Amino acid sequence: MADSCGRKLFVEVCNAKNLMPKDGQGTASAYAIVDFEGQRRRTKTKFRDLNPQWDEKHEFLVHDMEAMASEILEVNLYNDKKTGKRSTFLGKVKVAGTSFSKSGSESLIYYPLEKRSVFSQIKGELGLKVYYVDEDPPAGGAVAESEQKPETTPVAEEKPPENQEGKESKVKEEEKKEEEKPKEEPKAEEKSNENPPENPKPEESPAVEPEKPVEVENPPIAHTEKPKQMRKAKSETEKLADLSVNDLELRSDRSRRAYDLVDRMPFLYVRVVKAKRESSDGGSSSMYAKLVIGTHSIKTKSQSEKDWDQVFAFDKEGLNSTSLEVSVWAEEKKENEDQKAENCLGTVSFDLQEVPKRVPPDSPLAPQWYSLESDKSPGNDVMLAVWLGTQADEAFQEAWQSDSGGMIPETRAKVYLSPKLWYLRLTVIQTQDLQFDSASEPKSRNLELYVKGQLGPQVFKTGRTAVGSANPTWNEDLVFVAAEPFEPFLVVTVEDVTNGKSVGQAKIHMASIEKRTDDRTDTKSRWFNLVGDETRPYTGRIHLRICLEGGYHVLDEAAHVTSDVRAAAKQLAKPPIGLLEVGIRSASNLLPVKTKDGTRGTIDAYVVAKYGPKWVRTRTILDRFNPRWNEQYTWDVYDPCTVLTIGVFDNGRYTRQENDGVLKQPGKDLRVGKVRIRLSSLDINQVYSTAYSLTVLLPTGAKKMGDLEIAVRFSTFSWLSLIQSYSTPILPRMHYIRPLGPTQQDILRHTAMRIVTTRLARSEPAMGHEVVQYMLDSDTHVWSMRRSKANWFRVIGCLSRAVAIARWFDEIRTWVHPPTTVLMHILLIAVVLCPNLILPTLFMYAFLILTFRFRYRHRTSHNMDPRLSYVDFVSTDELDEEFDGFPSARSADQIRVRYDRLRALGGRAQVLLGDVAAQGERLEALFNWRDPRATGIFVVICLGASLLFYAVPFKAFLFGFGFYYFRHPRFRGDMPSVPANFFRRLPSLSDQMI
């Protein structure tokens, strides 16, 4: 059981900063209450201190290791009632179980104090260290005693024995009524076992425990929920994602809803196990089985032990016969000859109309012996099983598949994970005792030095510093992108600019570099010895400060289509707020992209979906223009303002053509189209099943390649957490406290893209670099006349709304519509006489208009928009410029330099135009219900503001707003405000750009 694991959780309450005064005398006497799984600990009271220091360590027992990730550690701060009339609330902190670190990797983290209600006045931060320790379980009889210890916990003692016996009797009655019902929630099962009746008989325990695994592993046919066998069909990544869900009911609901967004595809399954031969020399020859269904023919592996155990899955829609024929063949070598003689041992036929059907959670069909019909060698048998199932069958993933080319690895469905990325900050401070090469050192030295850092293929340099003193100083930061598993060494080299030679270098083990989560704790600087060549083992020393920044999120995709915003450090992880389920159904009317046998066009299509670090790749459907995948995948959602990217490609890597006996390298996967879906535009628990148009940009222009049908559902665990996420910053705190420059961030983003591309290309089977670059939009910031025009017209489109309002006022002034002009005169008189009604009227008008426009909101706006991307009006010369490489391949050197300079400047202007257009589109999306939740929040704000301004005089509001706007800097926070965070989360049309 999980209770005997011996895991303990340690919480060290270190200190708090900038607490809110609560005792009426400008101070507070704070103490903390730590709560974990019903276990509470209290710290000492620090009297009259707004920055208390506790440094107290508290120990908690972890009853269930598997459920620890779903638990919440809560720390509440109170003002001691001894210093006031009552204990007042100072704030709270909630730490998810997924962020608990193991002993040895813990660090001090400052959590901002949260409010208990909307009207709480809270400020400050609390510093905690949270880690767990796994202890070895006791041996022998001590194990049994440890298993009984949880029965005597204080929580169990509070309940009377009668209730415990009543609970157990009720459980036994339910087990008698539902003997065949499997138990999908092991945690609930363990809790029922923790409270047995007092003084149990020693002979009862061994009789009860062996029955439980039997119920789990042999579920009945009539059970409606999906058992453990169905959950095995999930990928390993989805199993890991299940552990992070903080509710066991949601976890079972996820398994129950598997394959509910796609159609069930019928497959004919044939499991060939082994054969039995009656002849005397049966063990000396190799045997194989052959399956024939109409024009489909496939052989098993040939081996002498006659035990194949292979599964074959035939797409039922592609079958052109109603009978299955299985034959067994023996291969025997002729005497004094290298040739093999094949001898048929017999056949057995099956009528497909009589094949039984199997639907999970039914148990697997047991294979049985069938007699082979043969006139030459009777008495031979073959063991096999034949059934009709769907792609939800657990045997499907490992079976030979007729629609994807059999057992080809490059055509199978796979799940990939991006490497975990960190920022590595190298601060070069100074050098001392530098020793130069005596042969090349001039007498009057006027040298310039710089420091070069190298991590794998990444190389960054500091500025130049003249050697005017013995200790050259830089104080510069070099930031690298490091991917787990890290490179073995970080190489730091001091080089001379005048002769280009190295003064010395230092190799730093990556395992010795410290990790930090914020800027409150600076890492210690260290001195490293510089080593020259073999004749110079010591050439000085260099002063460095190195750390792995865990408080940043390393961007590895374009900023406007990001799918993950979590920090790199596990300690800063937050629990997921929802679940994203995607069903990749089918494609229709795909166009051929290559030729087969040099005679006809064909396409071998597969789909890649990317969200967060998880990439999924469907199986490749060979030679079909209307492929059907019907595969379903699941992701955990940590932020609703993220984008799911789905791309369709033609598989060009599974075939290796042979030319003169030499295998050629596999071809590249061709782009067919791409779809992006912003999660914030989806309604909760609603299934969107839509066919999206696939448009790809070619050197000849935009071309529609077909349609992709997918089903998407976004569900949330807590509606309150989803709404609260709109008021939090998009990126982690370090991006705002110590922001990276735009140029530096762009360089690091492209570096991260290259790292992800390289790592995924090293998988087996590899995901092509052209696929990863297309999914990550690695060429977004490259100059393109078409993109610049598109962004320019987006800006014009936003400005046209202001022009329309100006024209409307001009029409009112010129009495184009007299009733409207009369109403405006009445409104002008009302504003002059009652100025306090201006703001309430405006907010009430916005509330009514937005409520009226709710039914006209955009239902589906995820298609790539060719008109918005300006692909229908681009010239051939501009397309040639867009598909031209960078740098340009022009013949004249002068033209190439000028052309590249123009493209670089144009790329910056292009990004600027896109950012300006995005701000206007965000404001427009607020009124068009593109993000229903954001607009809903704004509607509620409008209604509340309207009622507030009816009660509060405008002069009082103006007076309070002025004082609030000009408040002292010490009363301002260092993080973006709630309105700024809300506005930045509003969707723009950037995610629909091609």
Side-chain angles (χ1 to χ4, degrees):
M1 294 179 61
D3 294 338
S4 61
C5 65
R7 174 172 289 185
K8 294 183 179 180
L9 179 69
F10 293 91
V11 180
E12 185 174 347
V13 184
C14 298
N15 60 350
K17 296 181 179 180
N18 302 323
L19 297 179
M20 177 72 72
K22 290 287 187 176
D23 60 353
Q25 301 178 3
T27 60
S29 301
Y31 67 91
I33 294 180
V34 188
D35 189 353
F36 179 74
E37 287 187 345
Q39 309 170 58
R40 289 192 174 186
R41 305 289 187 271
R42 185 186 188 277
T43 65
K44 297 180 181 179
T45 302
K46 298 297 180 180
F47 293 97
R48 298 184 180 277
D49 191 356
L50 295 179
N51 298 283
Q53 187 83 19
W54 289 285
D55 293 329
E56 297 184 18
K57 184 186 296 184
H58 301 279
E59 177 182 338
F60 300 88
L61 294 177
V62 180
H63 299 300
D64 192 347
M65 287 200 314
E66 296 181 355
M68 189 187 73
S70 62
E71 298 293 342
I72 300 294
L73 171 69
E74 184 171 345
V75 183
N76 291 272
L77 290 184
Y78 295 95
N79 179 55
D80 200 330
K81 62 182 179 181
K82 296 179 181 179
T83 61
K85 296 182 179 180
R86 58 187 179 90
S87 296
T88 53
F89 183 70
L90 294 176
K92 66 178 180 179
V93 168
K94 289 185 177 181
V95 184
T98 54
S99 62
F100 296 167
S101 59
K102 198 169 184 179
S103 178
S105 61
E106 72 276 4
S107 60
L108 176 61
I109 302 177
Y110 286 89
Y111 298 92
L113 294 175
E114 301 177 3
K115 297 181 179 181
R116 185 166 53 184
S117 63
V118 180
F119 303 100
S120 300
Q121 296 182 358
I122 300 300
K123 73 172 184 177
E125 297 172 327
L126 179 63
L128 299 174
K129 285 185 180 180
V130 184
Y131 58 95
Y132 62 89
V133 177
D134 290 333
E135 299 179 354
D136 296 332
V143 176
E145 295 179 1
S146 64
E147 291 180 354
Q148 296 178 1
K149 283 184 179 180
E151 301 171 6
T152 60
T153 56
V155 180
E157 290 178 357
E158 293 177 1
K159 300 180 181 180
E162 294 82 5
N163 295 342
Q164 297 175 358
E165 295 179 0
K167 281 189 175 181
E168 187 183 18
S169 62
K170 188 179 295 184
V171 171
K172 290 183 178 179
E173 292 177 2
E174 293 177 359
E175 290 179 353
K176 291 179 180 179
K177 295 180 181 179
E178 304 176 359
E179 294 177 351
E180 297 180 348
K181 185 174 182 179
K183 299 177 182 179
E184 292 185 359
E185 298 182 6
K187 183 177 179 181
E189 182 180 333
E190 292 173 4
K191 289 184 178 180
S192 65
N193 294 332
E194 288 178 4
N195 299 323
E198 294 183 355
N199 301 325
K201 296 180 180 180
E203 62 269 9
E204 291 181 357
S205 56
V208 176
E209 292 183 358
E211 296 179 359
K212 295 177 182 176
V214 175
E215 294 182 0
V216 176
E217 296 187 2
N218 294 315
I221 296 176
H223 187 55
T224 57
E225 295 183 351
K226 299 184 186 293
K228 183 178 180 181
Q229 293 175 354
M230 188 61 191
R231 291 195 295 268
K232 286 183 179 180
K234 288 185 175 184
S235 61
E236 292 298 324
T237 307
E238 292 174 341
K239 292 181 181 179
L240 293 176
D242 287 347
L243 298 178
S244 63
V245 180
N246 56 359
D247 193 351
L248 290 176
E249 295 181 359
L250 290 171
R251 201 177 307 168
S252 62
D253 182 68
R254 176 188 298 188
S255 62
R256 187 165 56 248
R257 297 194 311 188
Y259 293 97
D260 65 336
L261 297 181
V262 296
D263 298 331
R264 298 297 178 99
M265 298 178 62
F267 281 87
L268 174 65
Y269 289 91
V270 182
R271 178 184 291 274
V272 185
V273 183
K274 56 185 176 180
K276 180 170 61 177
R277 188 176 182 182
E278 293 295 334
S279 58
S280 58
D281 58 346
S284 60
S285 60
S286 61
M287 301 171 62
Y288 68 88
K290 183 178 181 181
L291 286 71
V292 178
I293 308 178
T295 58
H296 294 276
S297 178
I298 184 64
K299 298 179 181 180
T300 64
K301 52 189 176 182
S302 178
Q303 51 191 20
S304 59
E305 61 267 17
K306 298 176 281 299
D307 191 357
W308 304 292
D309 197 13
Q310 287 184 256
V311 184
F312 301 88
F314 298 90
D315 186 7
K316 194 170 182 299
E317 294 184 357
L319 300 180
N320 51 11
S321 177
T322 59
S323 64
L324 165 67
E325 183 178 291
V326 181
S327 58
V328 178
W329 296 73
E331 296 179 343
E332 299 178 356
K333 290 185 178 181
K334 295 182 179 181
E335 295 181 359
N336 301 326
E337 292 183 8
D338 295 335
Q339 297 180 356
K340 292 183 179 180
E342 295 184 352
N343 181 23
C344 181
L345 301 181
T347 61
V348 58
S349 299
F350 297 89
D351 187 359
L352 298 187
Q353 297 180 356
E354 302 298 331
V355 173
K357 294 183 179 179
R358 176 185 178 267
V359 178
D362 292 356
S363 299
L365 187 65
Q368 55 182 326
W369 289 102
Y370 292 90
S371 299
L372 295 173
E373 299 178 0
S374 176
D375 298 334
K376 297 181 180 179
S377 55
N380 300 321
D381 299 328
V382 63
M383 178 181 283
L384 53 85
V386 183
W387 72 93
L388 286 175
T390 64
Q391 78 273 25
D393 200 300
E394 62 270 11
F396 180 73
Q397 297 298 332
E398 302 300 330
W400 177 95
Q401 301 169 4
S402 62
D403 58 351
S404 60
M407 296 294 292
I408 304 175
E410 288 80 7
T411 62
R412 314 285 285 187
K414 293 294 180 182
V415 176
Y416 300 84
L417 289 177
S418 298
K420 189 175 183 180
L421 303 178
W422 296 71
Y423 282 142
L424 174 64
R425 186 182 297 273
L426 170 64
T427 304
V428 182
I429 302 176
Q430 64 176 356
T431 57
Q432 284 185 359
D433 194 21
L434 293 181
Q435 299 179 8
F436 300 93
D437 189 1
S438 59
S440 60
E441 180 183 4
K443 295 182 179 180
S444 57
R445 287 171 25 206
N446 189 13
L447 304 179
E448 286 186 348
L449 302 177
Y450 67 87
V451 179
K452 179 180 70 176
Q454 182 174 0
L455 180 65
Q458 305 176 59
V459 177
F460 292 100
K461 301 177 182 179
T462 64
R464 301 179 180 182
T465 299
V467 186
S469 61
N471 302 326
T473 304
W474 286 272
N475 287 324
E476 293 186 25
D477 287 345
L478 302 179
V479 182
F480 303 83
V481 178
E484 294 183 355
F486 299 119
E487 299 284 343
F489 294 101
L490 169 66
V491 181
V492 180
T493 308
V494 180
E495 293 188 358
D496 185 4
V497 180
T498 56
N499 54 17
K501 293 184 178 180
S502 172
V503 178
Q505 69 175 10
K507 286 187 176 182
I508 301 140
H509 286 273
M510 290 292 295
S512 64
I513 297 178
E514 183 181 352
K515 299 178 181 179
R516 72 171 186 175
T517 58
D518 50 32
D519 62 333
R520 298 182 180 91
T521 55
D522 289 334
T523 55
K524 297 181 180 179
S525 58
R526 292 185 292 172
W527 288 93
F528 297 91
N529 292 335
L530 296 174
V531 179
D533 52 14
E534 298 178 355
T535 60
R536 297 186 303 157
Y538 175 78
T539 59
R541 61 177 188 164
I542 186 170
H543 194 194
L544 303 174
R545 181 182 293 113
I546 315 172
C547 66
L548 286 166
E549 297 281 7
Y552 289 93
H553 168 71
V554 182
L555 292 173
D556 59 346
E557 51 194 344
H560 61 278
V561 293
T562 183
S563 59
D564 191 9
V565 293
R566 291 176 293 168
K570 179 184 176 182
Q571 293 84 351
L572 300 179
K574 296 181 179 179
I577 63 172
L579 194 68
L580 174 64
E581 298 167 280
V582 179
I584 303 173
R585 299 170 66 90
S586 61
S588 59
N589 303 322
L590 295 181
L591 298 181
V593 297
K594 58 187 178 184
T595 58
K596 185 177 183 180
D597 301 329
T599 57
R600 62 184 181 88
T602 184
I603 184 173
D604 304 323
Y606 69 92
V607 180
V608 175
K610 195 265 181 188
Y611 184 79
K614 178 180 173 181
W615 300 62
V616 298
R617 170 179 174 168
T618 66
R619 67 187 191 279
T620 301
I621 306 299
L622 301 181
D623 196 16
R624 292 189 186 180
F625 298 107
N626 298 286
R628 297 175 64 230
W629 295 281
N630 284 308
E631 300 181 18
Q632 185 169 336
Y633 298 94
T634 307
W635 287 268
D636 285 322
V637 178
Y638 295 87
D639 195 292
C641 300
T642 46
V643 177
L644 166 70
T645 304
I646 301 176
V648 183
F649 301 88
D650 170 75
N651 197 331
R653 293 178 174 269
Y654 74 97
T655 57
R656 292 177 179 266
Q657 299 179 356
E658 187 172 345
N659 186 13
D660 298 333
V662 180
L663 289 177
K664 292 183 178 180
Q665 292 295 328
K668 293 185 177 181
D669 296 343
L670 302 179
R671 305 174 180 178
V672 179
K674 183 166 52 179
V675 175
R676 299 194 193 99
I677 300 175
R678 183 171 289 273
L679 270 60
S680 60
S681 61
L682 302 177
D683 292 333
I684 300 299
N685 295 326
Q686 181 174 345
V687 177
Y688 291 84
S689 182
T690 314
Y692 299 95
S693 177
L694 298 174
T695 304
V696 66
L697 188 64
L698 302 174
T700 56
K703 188 176 184 179
K704 182 180 179 181
M705 303 297 294
D707 297 313
L708 175 66
E709 183 181 358
I710 59 176
V712 182
R713 177 172 55 209
F714 174 40
S715 55
T716 181
F717 304 146
S718 172
W719 180 268
L720 183 61
S721 299
L722 180 64
I723 298 301
Q724 186 181 4
S725 64
Y726 280 86
S727 63
T728 59
I730 298 178
L731 295 174
R733 182 176 181 272
M734 286 292 289
H735 286 270
Y736 305 99
I737 303 303
R738 297 190 64 178
L740 302 172
T743 304
Q744 185 182 27
Q745 195 169 9
D746 189 57
I747 294 174
L748 294 175
R749 181 189 295 113
H750 285 280
T751 303
M753 288 180 181
R754 288 193 294 269
I755 293 176
V756 173
T757 302
T758 305
R759 290 291 180 89
L760 294 181
R762 290 165 54 186
S763 304
E764 184 60 35
M767 182 174 287
H769 63 88
E770 66 277 3
V771 176
V772 180
Q773 291 177 0
Y774 185 56
M775 296 291 290
L776 295 179
D777 286 339
S778 58
D779 59 346
T780 303
H781 298 276
V782 179
W783 163 259
S784 168
M785 182 65 73
R786 177 189 60 83
R787 289 197 187 99
S788 298
K789 287 184 178 180
N791 289 335
W792 172 256
F793 284 108
R794 287 168 60 195
V795 175
I796 296 300
C798 294
L799 295 178
S800 63
R801 273 70 174 181
V803 175
I805 295 175
R807 291 178 180 175
W808 181 64
F809 275 103
D810 185 69
E811 291 176 356
I812 293 175
R813 186 176 63 86
T814 56
W815 290 78
V816 174
H817 192 248
T820 305
T821 307
V822 173
L823 289 177
M824 290 300 298
H825 280 81
I826 297 174
L827 179 62
L828 178 61
I829 296 173
V831 167
V832 172
L833 298 180
C834 302
N836 57 332
L837 297 180
I838 297 177
L839 291 179
T841 304
L842 289 177
F843 282 107
M844 181 59 70
Y845 180 76
F847 169 75
L848 295 176
I849 291 297
L850 292 175
T851 306
F852 177 76
R853 296 180 68 177
F854 175 75
R855 55 180 179 175
Y856 299 107
R857 68 189 188 278
H858 296 281
R859 296 289 182 178
T860 55
S861 59
H862 311 301
N863 275 323
M864 295 296 182
D865 194 344
R867 185 177 181 182
L868 178 67
S869 304
Y870 210 72
V871 296
D872 297 331
F873 310 99
V874 63
S875 63
T876 57
D877 181 64
E878 294 173 351
L879 281 175
D880 177 71
E881 179 184 5
E882 182 171 352
F883 282 91
D884 185 21
F886 190 84
S888 176
R890 296 295 183 268
S891 57
D893 294 338
Q894 185 177 5
I895 296 177
R896 186 189 304 117
V897 172
R898 294 178 180 178
Y899 184 59
D900 292 342
R901 185 186 301 121
L902 177 62
R903 295 177 69 184
L905 295 176
R908 297 180 183 177
Q910 166 187 318
V911 175
L912 179 60
L913 287 175
D915 293 339
V916 173
Q919 307 308 318
E921 289 167 356
R922 287 192 178 101
L923 184 61
E924 185 179 358
L926 188 63
F927 294 89
N928 288 341
W929 290 91
R930 285 199 64 222
D931 186 347
R933 283 171 292 278
T935 309
I937 294 173
F938 184 67
V939 168
V940 175
I941 293 175
C942 291
L943 178 60
S946 176
L947 299 177
L948 176 65
F949 286 115
Y950 272 115
V952 178
F954 179 73
K955 295 181 180 179
F957 166 75
L958 187 61
F959 185 82
F961 178 77
F963 273 80
Y964 177 79
Y965 184 78
F966 294 108
R967 67 190 185 279
H968 195 272
R970 67 180 299 178
F971 298 106
R972 304 184 186 208
D974 51 3
M975 299 295 289
S977 62
V978 173
N981 296 328
F982 180 82
F983 183 78
R984 291 174 183 172
R985 289 178 172 273
L986 293 175
S988 65
L989 298 179
S990 300
D991 52 347
Q992 299 182 29
M993 291 286 296
I994 298 180

